[in-house]
Amino acid sequence: MDLSKIASTINMRYYSQLGGFQVGGAVSGLDTQSIINAILEAESQPLQNLTEKYEKYELMQKAYEEVKTKLREFRDLVYSFKLQSTVVQKTAVSSSSLLSAEASSVAVTGVYHVKIVRTATYTTLAGANEVVPSPDSTKTFGELNYMYTPQEGTVRLYNNDTGNYVDVQVLSTDTIDDIVNKLNSALSSVGITGSASYDTNTGKLSITSDKNFSLVDITGNFTKVFHLDEASLNYSSGNYSLTSTASVSGLSTVKTLLQIATYTSKTIISGKVKINGVEIEFDQNETLSSLIKKINDSEAGVTVSYDYHANRVVITSKTSGPEAITLEDTDGTGLFSLLGIENHSLFVGQKAHLQISMDGTNWVDVYSNTNDVEYNGVTFHISGVTSETITVDVKIDTDAIVEKIKGFVDKWNETMDYLNEKLTEEPVTDKSEEEMTEEEKMKGVLKGDDLLEEIFSRLRGFITYKAEGDINYLWELGISTGDIGTGYENMMKGHLEVDEEKLKQIVEEDLNKVWEFFGGANGFATQLDDYLWEQVKFNGRIDQFAGISGRIEREQRFLATQIASWIERLSKREQELWRKFSAMEEVISQLQSQGSWISQALQGSNNK
């Protein structure tokens, strides 16, 4: 018998007092260890019974934890049926993709006629100036390092109609004027009537032609620097044109504030500014992208962006509707001037505006700061404006309600089947304890358990619970234990069935009556939820029995004391047996010695 294993069951340390190594039978030839083990095995039956009881309590605790989890899951669903929004399901169908709608449980049913007058917009502050003004045409190609580092090379101009092409060398020292002249010469040399030009106001390069043409970098990055790589060739009135998509001075946001200042000959110093009263601290050596992120992550309530195509900074409020955007350069950093937003245009956000009528004649104006407009329990989601009148049909969603209630019944049956299984399942007997899984060990541990039987019976009793109101019983909703002949067996198991047609009829007749049955002050779900809560809450019925400091644990502590006492008793008994057998071995050894002496003495006498 392994006393150490039994001691570990109750988290008790056990050390043998026999020195750890005993040898018996050296003289007698007896298997002393086996004899002592057999005696202890016989005398330890009460200890084994206590240990088995202790381990059973452990399994019961685990089993009840599982029961508690199952009941909690069921209770979560039951609780939701106390809410009107669970039972009362309504649907809203719109005639336009520009307006969707959701109907709450309190939504007024009917057909809504809706006109979208205006969507909600965001307040926008747009810089009046470009961050970096467009350079004049005397700037060299090598100086145009606003977004890319210019790399001199070869750009090829194709006449797509003839297949002819010409290579144009672009040098770092070439001015914009030089490049324009080279392109004009190239156009002529491939038989194209057209011209290249540079607009100092927009910072864009344009090429017009009477022929279809292409411009491709062979080496270098000319088309990137002038933002021609992302431009499309346009055709209009017999002419083709290719124009930069952004100013050549459009910035890369990895440029530092100090670098931007060198482009504009402006002054920038580290410090703090305020946007909507929120302080933003920055360093002149940080990049434009890091500054933008810092502002966007702040509590200023705005989103800052830099549009390199327009070469301007734009600030937009994060909340739609009428909002203010204020700028304060409290430290005189020059930041807002550098970003071109010191002078700006402010476009104040507008509220969404709907006109709604229930009869198509009398209209109500409804406003919202967002594009989600609520009216009569219906939320209208606006995604655009149309001159057409949109209809939204709000009605009871009978199918959804029936599915919700069926889901409730399914969960009820799942829970009752589980409890019934635990009360009736047999323990596993065809395997040893070492062969069994934890789940197999737990089988049958709650068979016929009094508390579980009580919970099962009380829940089953709710099948006949009488609620207050126009609907009193489950069977009036088409929820029952089944037809005659099967009803008794289902009642014993607590199993419910749903007559969908009857349930649908009741829902369509008066949905409020159905809701009152479940969620009223003394409704079915209300009372069932109260009962389940008493079972699963902290220190509830299950905890008082199987939880921390519950009855099972108190029993275990008592058993642990008895087990420890028995282990000590058997340990002493083991020592006693070893002493007795050792004494026996010593006596036998002495007798053998005396016998040997007598034998030798007799043999010596006979030899004389």
Side-chain angles (χ1 to χ4, degrees), residues 46-87:
L47 173 60
Q48 292 182 18
N49 293 340
L50 291 171
T51 304
E52 288 173 4
K53 193 172 183 180
Y54 184 95
E55 290 175 341
K56 182 181 179 182
Y57 277 142
E58 278 193 326
L59 292 173
M60 287 182 70
Q61 281 184 310
K62 292 177 182 178
Y64 260 109
E65 188 60 38
E66 187 180 279
V67 169
K68 188 176 178 180
T69 298
K70 290 288 185 181
L71 292 179
R72 273 179 174 167
E73 290 174 358
F74 182 41
R75 190 247 168 182
D76 288 343
L77 181 63
V78 172
Y79 180 85
S80 72
F81 270 74
K82 293 168 59 178
L83 308 176
Q84 189 175 11
S85 57
T86 301
V87 180

mmCIF file of all heavy atoms in Angstrom, residues 46-87:
data_model
loop_
_atom_site.group_PDB
_atom_site.id
_atom_site.type_symbol
_atom_site.label_atom_id
_atom_site.label_comp_id
_atom_site.label_asym_id
_atom_site.label_seq_id
_atom_site.Cartn_x
_atom_site.Cartn_y
_atom_site.Cartn_z
ATOM 1 N N PRO A 46 -10.077 0.775 6.180
ATOM 2 C CA PRO A 46 -10.779 2.029 6.533
ATOM 3 C C PRO A 46 -10.128 3.261 5.892
ATOM 4 O O PRO A 46 -10.824 4.182 5.486
ATOM 5 C CB PRO A 46 -10.655 2.074 8.065
ATOM 6 C CG PRO A 46 -10.488 0.651 8.474
ATOM 7 C CD PRO A 46 -9.684 0.008 7.393
ATOM 8 N N LEU A 47 -8.781 3.265 5.802
ATOM 9 C CA LEU A 47 -8.088 4.391 5.164
ATOM 10 C C LEU A 47 -8.438 4.465 3.684
ATOM 11 O O LEU A 47 -8.685 5.550 3.147
ATOM 12 C CB LEU A 47 -6.576 4.241 5.339
ATOM 13 C CG LEU A 47 -5.706 5.252 4.580
ATOM 14 C CD1 LEU A 47 -6.021 6.679 5.016
ATOM 15 C CD2 LEU A 47 -4.221 4.954 4.797
ATOM 16 N N GLN A 48 -8.469 3.302 3.038
ATOM 17 C CA GLN A 48 -8.809 3.292 1.614
ATOM 18 C C GLN A 48 -10.239 3.783 1.396
ATOM 19 O O GLN A 48 -10.523 4.508 0.431
ATOM 20 C CB GLN A 48 -8.621 1.884 1.056
ATOM 21 C CG GLN A 48 -7.154 1.455 1.010
ATOM 22 C CD GLN A 48 -6.981 0.072 0.411
ATOM 23 O OE1 GLN A 48 -7.869 -0.432 -0.255
ATOM 24 N NE2 GLN A 48 -5.846 -0.555 0.669
ATOM 25 N N ASN A 49 -11.136 3.392 2.287
ATOM 26 C CA ASN A 49 -12.526 3.862 2.169
ATOM 27 C C ASN A 49 -12.596 5.382 2.319
ATOM 28 O O ASN A 49 -13.334 6.058 1.591
ATOM 29 C CB ASN A 49 -13.396 3.197 3.237
ATOM 30 C CG ASN A 49 -13.547 1.707 3.004
ATOM 31 O OD1 ASN A 49 -13.334 1.220 1.893
ATOM 32 N ND2 ASN A 49 -13.909 0.965 4.053
ATOM 33 N N LEU A 50 -11.850 5.912 3.275
ATOM 34 C CA LEU A 50 -11.818 7.366 3.469
ATOM 35 C C LEU A 50 -11.243 8.074 2.251
ATOM 36 O O LEU A 50 -11.740 9.126 1.817
ATOM 37 C CB LEU A 50 -10.982 7.712 4.708
ATOM 38 C CG LEU A 50 -11.559 7.321 6.080
ATOM 39 C CD1 LEU A 50 -10.506 7.539 7.164
ATOM 40 C CD2 LEU A 50 -12.823 8.137 6.385
ATOM 41 N N THR A 51 -10.174 7.487 1.696
ATOM 42 C CA THR A 51 -9.527 8.091 0.525
ATOM 43 C C THR A 51 -10.459 8.091 -0.682
ATOM 44 O O THR A 51 -10.552 9.079 -1.420
ATOM 45 C CB THR A 51 -8.230 7.338 0.177
ATOM 46 O OG1 THR A 51 -7.381 7.316 1.320
ATOM 47 C CG2 THR A 51 -7.502 8.011 -0.973
ATOM 48 N N GLU A 52 -11.142 6.969 -0.892
ATOM 49 C CA GLU A 52 -12.086 6.894 -2.018
ATOM 50 C C GLU A 52 -13.196 7.932 -1.859
ATOM 51 O O GLU A 52 -13.625 8.556 -2.834
ATOM 52 C CB GLU A 52 -12.678 5.489 -2.096
ATOM 53 C CG GLU A 52 -11.680 4.449 -2.596
ATOM 54 C CD GLU A 52 -12.229 3.036 -2.510
ATOM 55 O OE1 GLU A 52 -13.424 2.883 -2.127
ATOM 56 O OE2 GLU A 52 -11.484 2.087 -2.811
ATOM 57 N N LYS A 53 -13.660 8.105 -0.629
ATOM 58 C CA LYS A 53 -14.705 9.104 -0.378
ATOM 59 C C LYS A 53 -14.181 10.509 -0.635
ATOM 60 O O LYS A 53 -14.874 11.351 -1.224
ATOM 61 C CB LYS A 53 -15.205 8.971 1.066
ATOM 62 C CG LYS A 53 -16.490 9.737 1.354
ATOM 63 C CD LYS A 53 -17.020 9.396 2.744
ATOM 64 C CE LYS A 53 -18.348 10.101 2.997
ATOM 65 N NZ LYS A 53 -18.892 9.799 4.351
ATOM 66 N N TYR A 54 -12.943 10.764 -0.209
ATOM 67 C CA TYR A 54 -12.318 12.074 -0.426
ATOM 68 C C TYR A 54 -12.199 12.352 -1.932
ATOM 69 O O TYR A 54 -12.520 13.451 -2.404
ATOM 70 C CB TYR A 54 -10.936 12.092 0.230
ATOM 71 C CG TYR A 54 -10.238 13.434 0.163
ATOM 72 C CD1 TYR A 54 -10.330 14.329 1.221
ATOM 73 C CD2 TYR A 54 -9.493 13.796 -0.951
ATOM 74 C CE1 TYR A 54 -9.695 15.565 1.163
ATOM 75 C CE2 TYR A 54 -8.859 15.029 -1.024
ATOM 76 C CZ TYR A 54 -8.961 15.907 0.037
ATOM 77 O OH TYR A 54 -8.328 17.133 -0.032
ATOM 78 N N GLU A 55 -11.720 11.355 -2.677
ATOM 79 C CA GLU A 55 -11.547 11.536 -4.124
ATOM 80 C C GLU A 55 -12.889 11.705 -4.832
ATOM 81 O O GLU A 55 -13.000 12.441 -5.812
ATOM 82 C CB GLU A 55 -10.778 10.348 -4.691
ATOM 83 C CG GLU A 55 -9.313 10.330 -4.242
ATOM 84 C CD GLU A 55 -8.578 9.088 -4.708
ATOM 85 O OE1 GLU A 55 -9.261 8.087 -5.052
ATOM 86 O OE2 GLU A 55 -7.327 9.107 -4.714
ATOM 87 N N LYS A 56 -13.920 11.017 -4.317
ATOM 88 C CA LYS A 56 -15.247 11.179 -4.908
ATOM 89 C C LYS A 56 -15.741 12.614 -4.723
ATOM 90 O O LYS A 56 -16.337 13.209 -5.619
ATOM 91 C CB LYS A 56 -16.240 10.199 -4.295
ATOM 92 C CG LYS A 56 -17.633 10.318 -4.922
ATOM 93 C CD LYS A 56 -18.623 9.356 -4.290
ATOM 94 C CE LYS A 56 -20.007 9.529 -4.935
ATOM 95 N NZ LYS A 56 -21.019 8.655 -4.333
ATOM 96 N N TYR A 57 -15.475 13.175 -3.540
ATOM 97 C CA TYR A 57 -15.863 14.566 -3.302
ATOM 98 C C TYR A 57 -15.145 15.506 -4.273
ATOM 99 O O TYR A 57 -15.725 16.490 -4.743
ATOM 100 C CB TYR A 57 -15.553 14.958 -1.859
ATOM 101 C CG TYR A 57 -16.614 14.545 -0.858
ATOM 102 C CD1 TYR A 57 -16.269 14.093 0.415
ATOM 103 C CD2 TYR A 57 -17.963 14.634 -1.179
ATOM 104 C CE1 TYR A 57 -17.245 13.722 1.332
ATOM 105 C CE2 TYR A 57 -18.943 14.269 -0.267
ATOM 106 C CZ TYR A 57 -18.582 13.813 0.985
ATOM 107 O OH TYR A 57 -19.553 13.456 1.888
ATOM 108 N N GLU A 58 -13.879 15.213 -4.546
ATOM 109 C CA GLU A 58 -13.144 16.033 -5.517
ATOM 110 C C GLU A 58 -13.809 15.985 -6.880
ATOM 111 O O GLU A 58 -13.957 17.003 -7.560
ATOM 112 C CB GLU A 58 -11.694 15.546 -5.629
ATOM 113 C CG GLU A 58 -10.765 16.070 -4.544
ATOM 114 C CD GLU A 58 -9.308 15.825 -4.890
ATOM 115 O OE1 GLU A 58 -9.012 14.797 -5.512
ATOM 116 O OE2 GLU A 58 -8.475 16.686 -4.555
ATOM 117 N N LEU A 59 -14.182 14.786 -7.314
ATOM 118 C CA LEU A 59 -14.853 14.629 -8.601
ATOM 119 C C LEU A 59 -16.210 15.326 -8.593
ATOM 120 O O LEU A 59 -16.628 15.916 -9.597
ATOM 121 C CB LEU A 59 -15.022 13.145 -8.924
ATOM 122 C CG LEU A 59 -13.723 12.369 -9.207
ATOM 123 C CD1 LEU A 59 -14.012 10.881 -9.338
ATOM 124 C CD2 LEU A 59 -13.062 12.895 -10.484
ATOM 125 N N MET A 60 -16.912 15.282 -7.465
ATOM 126 C CA MET A 60 -18.206 15.952 -7.363
ATOM 127 C C MET A 60 -18.040 17.467 -7.516
ATOM 128 O O MET A 60 -18.862 18.130 -8.161
ATOM 129 C CB MET A 60 -18.866 15.631 -6.024
ATOM 130 C CG MET A 60 -19.420 14.222 -5.916
ATOM 131 S SD MET A 60 -20.239 13.918 -4.323
ATOM 132 C CE MET A 60 -21.699 14.942 -4.482
ATOM 133 N N GLN A 61 -16.981 18.002 -6.909
ATOM 134 C CA GLN A 61 -16.732 19.436 -7.052
ATOM 135 C C GLN A 61 -16.523 19.809 -8.515
ATOM 136 O O GLN A 61 -17.062 20.806 -9.003
ATOM 137 C CB GLN A 61 -15.507 19.844 -6.230
ATOM 138 C CG GLN A 61 -15.788 20.000 -4.741
ATOM 139 C CD GLN A 61 -14.570 20.487 -3.981
ATOM 140 O OE1 GLN A 61 -13.486 19.943 -4.120
ATOM 141 N NE2 GLN A 61 -14.744 21.524 -3.190
ATOM 142 N N LYS A 62 -15.716 19.006 -9.221
ATOM 143 C CA LYS A 62 -15.477 19.266 -10.643
ATOM 144 C C LYS A 62 -16.765 19.121 -11.443
ATOM 145 O O LYS A 62 -17.041 19.911 -12.356
ATOM 146 C CB LYS A 62 -14.407 18.317 -11.176
ATOM 147 C CG LYS A 62 -13.023 18.572 -10.610
ATOM 148 C CD LYS A 62 -12.014 17.552 -11.134
ATOM 149 C CE LYS A 62 -10.641 17.795 -10.522
ATOM 150 N NZ LYS A 62 -9.648 16.789 -10.968
ATOM 151 N N ALA A 63 -17.548 18.102 -11.112
ATOM 152 C CA ALA A 63 -18.813 17.880 -11.823
ATOM 153 C C ALA A 63 -19.764 19.049 -11.607
ATOM 154 O O ALA A 63 -20.433 19.509 -12.541
ATOM 155 C CB ALA A 63 -19.450 16.577 -11.355
ATOM 156 N N TYR A 64 -19.815 19.564 -10.375
ATOM 157 C CA TYR A 64 -20.709 20.689 -10.098
ATOM 158 C C TYR A 64 -20.214 21.981 -10.739
ATOM 159 O O TYR A 64 -21.019 22.862 -11.075
ATOM 160 C CB TYR A 64 -20.908 20.864 -8.588
ATOM 161 C CG TYR A 64 -22.207 20.265 -8.118
ATOM 162 C CD1 TYR A 64 -22.237 19.103 -7.357
ATOM 163 C CD2 TYR A 64 -23.423 20.844 -8.473
ATOM 164 C CE1 TYR A 64 -23.437 18.553 -6.947
ATOM 165 C CE2 TYR A 64 -24.624 20.301 -8.075
ATOM 166 C CZ TYR A 64 -24.627 19.150 -7.317
ATOM 167 O OH TYR A 64 -25.837 18.602 -6.930
ATOM 168 N N GLU A 65 -18.905 22.095 -10.910
ATOM 169 C CA GLU A 65 -18.388 23.262 -11.622
ATOM 170 C C GLU A 65 -18.866 23.234 -13.072
ATOM 171 O O GLU A 65 -19.211 24.265 -13.649
ATOM 172 C CB GLU A 65 -16.850 23.264 -11.573
ATOM 173 C CG GLU A 65 -16.206 24.538 -12.113
ATOM 174 C CD GLU A 65 -16.632 25.788 -11.354
ATOM 175 O OE1 GLU A 65 -16.783 25.717 -10.109
ATOM 176 O OE2 GLU A 65 -16.841 26.841 -12.014
ATOM 177 N N GLU A 66 -18.916 22.045 -13.643
ATOM 178 C CA GLU A 66 -19.426 21.883 -15.005
ATOM 179 C C GLU A 66 -20.918 22.183 -15.053
ATOM 180 O O GLU A 66 -21.405 22.853 -15.974
ATOM 181 C CB GLU A 66 -19.149 20.454 -15.481
ATOM 182 C CG GLU A 66 -19.485 20.215 -16.937
ATOM 183 C CD GLU A 66 -19.195 18.789 -17.353
ATOM 184 O OE1 GLU A 66 -18.016 18.487 -17.634
ATOM 185 O OE2 GLU A 66 -20.148 17.965 -17.394
ATOM 186 N N VAL A 67 -21.651 21.685 -14.057
ATOM 187 C CA VAL A 67 -23.092 21.966 -13.965
ATOM 188 C C VAL A 67 -23.322 23.470 -13.869
ATOM 189 O O VAL A 67 -24.196 24.038 -14.542
ATOM 190 C CB VAL A 67 -23.707 21.247 -12.739
ATOM 191 C CG1 VAL A 67 -25.133 21.758 -12.485
ATOM 192 C CG2 VAL A 67 -23.712 19.747 -12.948
ATOM 193 N N LYS A 68 -22.531 24.118 -13.042
ATOM 194 C CA LYS A 68 -22.664 25.566 -12.852
ATOM 195 C C LYS A 68 -22.424 26.309 -14.161
ATOM 196 O O LYS A 68 -23.149 27.262 -14.496
ATOM 197 C CB LYS A 68 -21.673 26.026 -11.786
ATOM 198 C CG LYS A 68 -21.832 27.480 -11.363
ATOM 199 C CD LYS A 68 -20.872 27.800 -10.224
ATOM 200 C CE LYS A 68 -20.970 29.257 -9.811
ATOM 201 N NZ LYS A 68 -20.028 29.583 -8.708
ATOM 202 N N THR A 69 -21.427 25.866 -14.926
ATOM 203 C CA THR A 69 -21.143 26.489 -16.221
ATOM 204 C C THR A 69 -22.323 26.332 -17.171
ATOM 205 O O THR A 69 -22.719 27.281 -17.853
ATOM 206 C CB THR A 69 -19.877 25.869 -16.847
ATOM 207 O OG1 THR A 69 -18.755 26.112 -15.986
ATOM 208 C CG2 THR A 69 -19.593 26.467 -18.213
ATOM 209 N N LYS A 70 -22.896 25.123 -17.220
ATOM 210 C CA LYS A 70 -24.048 24.873 -18.091
ATOM 211 C C LYS A 70 -25.236 25.740 -17.694
ATOM 212 O O LYS A 70 -25.916 26.324 -18.557
ATOM 213 C CB LYS A 70 -24.443 23.398 -18.016
ATOM 214 C CG LYS A 70 -23.466 22.452 -18.664
ATOM 215 C CD LYS A 70 -23.497 22.548 -20.181
ATOM 216 C CE LYS A 70 -22.604 21.502 -20.815
ATOM 217 N NZ LYS A 70 -22.599 21.609 -22.299
ATOM 218 N N LEU A 71 -25.485 25.849 -16.399
ATOM 219 C CA LEU A 71 -26.619 26.653 -15.933
ATOM 220 C C LEU A 71 -26.379 28.138 -16.174
ATOM 221 O O LEU A 71 -27.318 28.888 -16.453
ATOM 222 C CB LEU A 71 -26.885 26.388 -14.453
ATOM 223 C CG LEU A 71 -27.413 24.996 -14.098
ATOM 224 C CD1 LEU A 71 -27.601 24.859 -12.597
ATOM 225 C CD2 LEU A 71 -28.721 24.703 -14.832
ATOM 226 N N ARG A 72 -25.121 28.570 -16.063
ATOM 227 C CA ARG A 72 -24.806 29.971 -16.360
ATOM 228 C C ARG A 72 -25.081 30.290 -17.826
ATOM 229 O O ARG A 72 -25.628 31.349 -18.155
ATOM 230 C CB ARG A 72 -23.342 30.257 -16.036
ATOM 231 C CG ARG A 72 -23.083 30.658 -14.596
ATOM 232 C CD ARG A 72 -21.618 30.900 -14.372
ATOM 233 N NE ARG A 72 -21.339 31.423 -13.049
ATOM 234 C CZ ARG A 72 -20.132 31.485 -12.514
ATOM 235 N NH1 ARG A 72 -19.086 31.042 -13.199
ATOM 236 N NH2 ARG A 72 -19.955 31.984 -11.312
ATOM 237 N N GLU A 73 -24.666 29.388 -18.705
ATOM 238 C CA GLU A 73 -24.914 29.590 -20.135
ATOM 239 C C GLU A 73 -26.417 29.700 -20.404
ATOM 240 O O GLU A 73 -26.866 30.558 -21.172
ATOM 241 C CB GLU A 73 -24.321 28.432 -20.937
ATOM 242 C CG GLU A 73 -22.798 28.405 -20.959
ATOM 243 C CD GLU A 73 -22.261 27.168 -21.648
ATOM 244 O OE1 GLU A 73 -23.086 26.311 -22.075
ATOM 245 O OE2 GLU A 73 -21.023 27.031 -21.767
ATOM 246 N N PHE A 74 -27.177 28.809 -19.777
ATOM 247 C CA PHE A 74 -28.627 28.840 -19.946
ATOM 248 C C PHE A 74 -29.203 30.127 -19.368
ATOM 249 O O PHE A 74 -30.060 30.772 -19.978
ATOM 250 C CB PHE A 74 -29.235 27.615 -19.260
ATOM 251 C CG PHE A 74 -30.734 27.511 -19.416
ATOM 252 C CD1 PHE A 74 -31.353 27.795 -20.624
ATOM 253 C CD2 PHE A 74 -31.526 27.123 -18.343
ATOM 254 C CE1 PHE A 74 -32.731 27.694 -20.764
ATOM 255 C CE2 PHE A 74 -32.900 27.015 -18.468
ATOM 256 C CZ PHE A 74 -33.504 27.304 -19.680
ATOM 257 N N ARG A 75 -28.679 30.528 -18.205
ATOM 258 C CA ARG A 75 -29.179 31.736 -17.557
ATOM 259 C C ARG A 75 -28.918 32.979 -18.408
ATOM 260 O O ARG A 75 -29.741 33.901 -18.461
ATOM 261 C CB ARG A 75 -28.521 31.888 -16.182
ATOM 262 C CG ARG A 75 -29.160 32.968 -15.335
ATOM 263 C CD ARG A 75 -28.254 34.117 -15.089
ATOM 264 N NE ARG A 75 -28.960 35.251 -14.522
ATOM 265 C CZ ARG A 75 -28.383 36.408 -14.252
ATOM 266 N NH1 ARG A 75 -27.106 36.586 -14.479
ATOM 267 N NH2 ARG A 75 -29.097 37.403 -13.763
ATOM 268 N N ASP A 76 -27.771 33.028 -19.114
ATOM 269 C CA ASP A 76 -27.467 34.167 -19.992
ATOM 270 C C ASP A 76 -28.554 34.336 -21.054
ATOM 271 O O ASP A 76 -28.980 35.457 -21.348
ATOM 272 C CB ASP A 76 -26.108 33.966 -20.673
ATOM 273 C CG ASP A 76 -24.947 34.140 -19.708
ATOM 274 O OD1 ASP A 76 -25.158 34.727 -18.623
ATOM 275 O OD2 ASP A 76 -23.830 33.690 -20.036
ATOM 276 N N LEU A 77 -28.994 33.214 -21.617
ATOM 277 C CA LEU A 77 -30.057 33.279 -22.622
ATOM 278 C C LEU A 77 -31.384 33.654 -21.977
ATOM 279 O O LEU A 77 -32.135 34.488 -22.506
ATOM 280 C CB LEU A 77 -30.180 31.937 -23.338
ATOM 281 C CG LEU A 77 -31.258 31.880 -24.431
ATOM 282 C CD1 LEU A 77 -30.931 32.860 -25.561
ATOM 283 C CD2 LEU A 77 -31.397 30.468 -24.988
ATOM 284 N N VAL A 78 -31.678 33.065 -20.827
ATOM 285 C CA VAL A 78 -32.936 33.370 -20.127
ATOM 286 C C VAL A 78 -32.990 34.853 -19.794
ATOM 287 O O VAL A 78 -34.026 35.505 -19.973
ATOM 288 C CB VAL A 78 -33.059 32.523 -18.843
ATOM 289 C CG1 VAL A 78 -34.259 32.982 -18.017
ATOM 290 C CG2 VAL A 78 -33.199 31.046 -19.195
ATOM 291 N N TYR A 79 -31.871 35.395 -19.304
ATOM 292 C CA TYR A 79 -31.829 36.822 -18.951
ATOM 293 C C TYR A 79 -32.164 37.696 -20.156
ATOM 294 O O TYR A 79 -32.871 38.708 -20.028
ATOM 295 C CB TYR A 79 -30.457 37.181 -18.404
ATOM 296 C CG TYR A 79 -30.330 38.637 -18.007
ATOM 297 C CD1 TYR A 79 -30.739 39.075 -16.748
ATOM 298 C CD2 TYR A 79 -29.824 39.582 -18.896
ATOM 299 C CE1 TYR A 79 -30.654 40.409 -16.389
ATOM 300 C CE2 TYR A 79 -29.730 40.922 -18.546
ATOM 301 C CZ TYR A 79 -30.134 41.322 -17.292
ATOM 302 O OH TYR A 79 -30.049 42.649 -16.950
ATOM 303 N N SER A 80 -31.659 37.322 -21.328
ATOM 304 C CA SER A 80 -31.925 38.139 -22.521
ATOM 305 C C SER A 80 -33.407 38.181 -22.856
ATOM 306 O O SER A 80 -33.885 39.157 -23.445
ATOM 307 C CB SER A 80 -31.127 37.593 -23.716
ATOM 308 O OG SER A 80 -31.662 36.368 -24.182
ATOM 309 N N PHE A 81 -34.162 37.150 -22.453
ATOM 310 C CA PHE A 81 -35.598 37.129 -22.734
ATOM 311 C C PHE A 81 -36.383 38.026 -21.781
ATOM 312 O O PHE A 81 -37.588 38.200 -21.943
ATOM 313 C CB PHE A 81 -36.130 35.691 -22.703
ATOM 314 C CG PHE A 81 -36.060 35.022 -24.046
ATOM 315 C CD1 PHE A 81 -34.845 34.590 -24.552
ATOM 316 C CD2 PHE A 81 -37.190 34.861 -24.819
ATOM 317 C CE1 PHE A 81 -34.759 33.990 -25.795
ATOM 318 C CE2 PHE A 81 -37.122 34.273 -26.069
ATOM 319 C CZ PHE A 81 -35.895 33.836 -26.559
ATOM 320 N N LYS A 82 -35.700 38.594 -20.795
ATOM 321 C CA LYS A 82 -36.334 39.615 -19.962
ATOM 322 C C LYS A 82 -36.315 40.966 -20.669
ATOM 323 O O LYS A 82 -36.988 41.908 -20.241
ATOM 324 C CB LYS A 82 -35.583 39.739 -18.636
ATOM 325 C CG LYS A 82 -35.704 38.517 -17.749
ATOM 326 C CD LYS A 82 -34.716 38.559 -16.577
ATOM 327 C CE LYS A 82 -34.906 39.770 -15.694
ATOM 328 N NZ LYS A 82 -33.986 39.772 -14.532
ATOM 329 N N LEU A 83 -35.509 41.064 -21.739
ATOM 330 C CA LEU A 83 -35.361 42.323 -22.472
ATOM 331 C C LEU A 83 -36.323 42.355 -23.653
ATOM 332 O O LEU A 83 -36.412 41.396 -24.436
ATOM 333 C CB LEU A 83 -33.916 42.477 -22.970
ATOM 334 C CG LEU A 83 -32.818 42.309 -21.905
ATOM 335 C CD1 LEU A 83 -31.452 42.384 -22.551
ATOM 336 C CD2 LEU A 83 -32.968 43.375 -20.826
ATOM 337 N N GLN A 84 -37.002 43.445 -23.787
ATOM 338 C CA GLN A 84 -37.983 43.571 -24.867
ATOM 339 C C GLN A 84 -37.322 43.427 -26.233
ATOM 340 O O GLN A 84 -37.908 42.878 -27.168
ATOM 341 C CB GLN A 84 -38.695 44.930 -24.764
ATOM 342 C CG GLN A 84 -39.884 45.074 -25.702
ATOM 343 C CD GLN A 84 -40.633 46.378 -25.477
ATOM 344 O OE1 GLN A 84 -40.147 47.244 -24.767
ATOM 345 N NE2 GLN A 84 -41.806 46.509 -26.054
ATOM 346 N N SER A 85 -36.078 43.900 -26.334
ATOM 347 C CA SER A 85 -35.381 43.862 -27.623
ATOM 348 C C SER A 85 -35.115 42.432 -28.100
ATOM 349 O O SER A 85 -34.891 42.203 -29.285
ATOM 350 C CB SER A 85 -34.055 44.619 -27.533
ATOM 351 O OG SER A 85 -33.232 44.085 -26.506
ATOM 352 N N THR A 86 -35.132 41.464 -27.173
ATOM 353 C CA THR A 86 -34.910 40.066 -27.563
ATOM 354 C C THR A 86 -36.169 39.462 -28.153
ATOM 355 O O THR A 86 -36.139 38.821 -29.207
ATOM 356 C CB THR A 86 -34.451 39.234 -26.353
ATOM 357 O OG1 THR A 86 -33.237 39.783 -25.833
ATOM 358 C CG2 THR A 86 -34.216 37.781 -26.753
ATOM 359 N N VAL A 87 -37.276 39.673 -27.489
ATOM 360 C CA VAL A 87 -38.524 39.040 -27.913
ATOM 361 C C VAL A 87 -39.183 39.803 -29.057
ATOM 362 O O VAL A 87 -39.684 39.209 -30.019
ATOM 363 C CB VAL A 87 -39.502 38.928 -26.722
ATOM 364 C CG1 VAL A 87 -40.803 38.267 -27.157
ATOM 365 C CG2 VAL A 87 -38.851 38.149 -25.585
#
